[in-house]
Amino acid sequence: MDDSLAVAPDQLVQRHARPGMSLLAVLHAIQDELGYVPPATVAPLARAMNLSRAEVHGVITYYHHFRTQAPAPVTVQLCRAEACRSMGTEALAQHIEARTGCRFDAEHEPHATVELESVYCLGQCALSPALMLNGTLHAKVTPHKFDAILAAAEKCVEVTA
Ligand code: FES
């Protein structure tokens, strides 16, 4: 069993895999609960869905949305698509990396506080540059505004730790 899991992978899969559900729906349910799809669930998923482990692994790795590592307590998703680029998202990305000491799209350390991810359009093109921090959308983000958003998020992490 994955030592970091509070529940056995078999039980996790049984909790979410219902007759008639697609593999994608089950993967979404697991990720909604844990924030990621633990690699230890691949074998029980394959058994429950009557698929090979390679098929399950292939689906998890094909879709960028699914992650196999627990997210850091503070996750920043910065839009780096065209509209945001035209409004300075790359300079903002440099500021964010300097401020956090992390790099975009790099594997984060297991106990890292912050994780940075590039995304491509958050549907806020008219209010760019845009980012999501722990699932909350922020628009017209400046370096100063980012620092305030990050400080508030870090304070929440300290309070809940
Ligand atoms: S291009 Fe950034 S929100 Fe659409």
Side-chain angles (χ1 to χ4, degrees), residues 38-150:
T41 60
V42 170
L45 276 167
R47 285 193 297 276
M49 307 302 290
N50 199 23
L51 298 167
S52 71
R53 286 189 292 180
E55 288 171 310
V56 174
H57 178 76
V59 171
I60 292 169
T61 53
Y62 178 79
Y63 292 100
H64 183 71
H65 173 74
F66 295 120
R67 46 183 311 142
T68 57
Q69 183 183 22
V74 176
T75 301
V76 177
Q77 296 174 301
L78 177 67
C79 176
R80 301 178 91 163
E82 286 77 5
C84 286
R85 276 182 176 275
S86 72
M87 296 301 286
T89 202
E90 290 310 308
L92 180 60
Q94 288 177 6
H95 172 79
I96 292 170
E97 286 185 337
R99 172 68 177 74
T100 62
C102 302
R103 299 203 41 92
F104 275 93
D105 306 316
E107 286 274 317
H108 68 88
E109 297 296 320
H111 300 293
T113 307
V114 179
E115 177 179 357
L116 307 178
E117 181 184 350
S118 300
V119 294
Y120 295 88
C121 198
L122 293 166
Q124 299 294 312
C125 310
L127 300 171
S128 55
L131 63 78
M132 299 249 290
L133 194 148
N134 287 355
T136 300
L137 191 57
H138 298 274
K140 293 189 173 180
V141 180
T142 62
H144 180 72
K145 185 173 178 179
F146 173 78
D147 290 348
I149 295 166
L150 181 65

Side-chain angles (χ1 to χ4, degrees), residues 11-35:
Q11 291 175 335
L12 186 63
V13 170
Q14 286 171 9
R15 185 184 307 165
H16 294 292
R18 301 271 178 263
M21 282 181 79
S22 69
L23 175 60
L24 280 176
V26 178
L27 292 172
H28 276 288
I30 291 171
Q31 185 155 301
D32 286 349
E33 178 181 335
L34 298 180

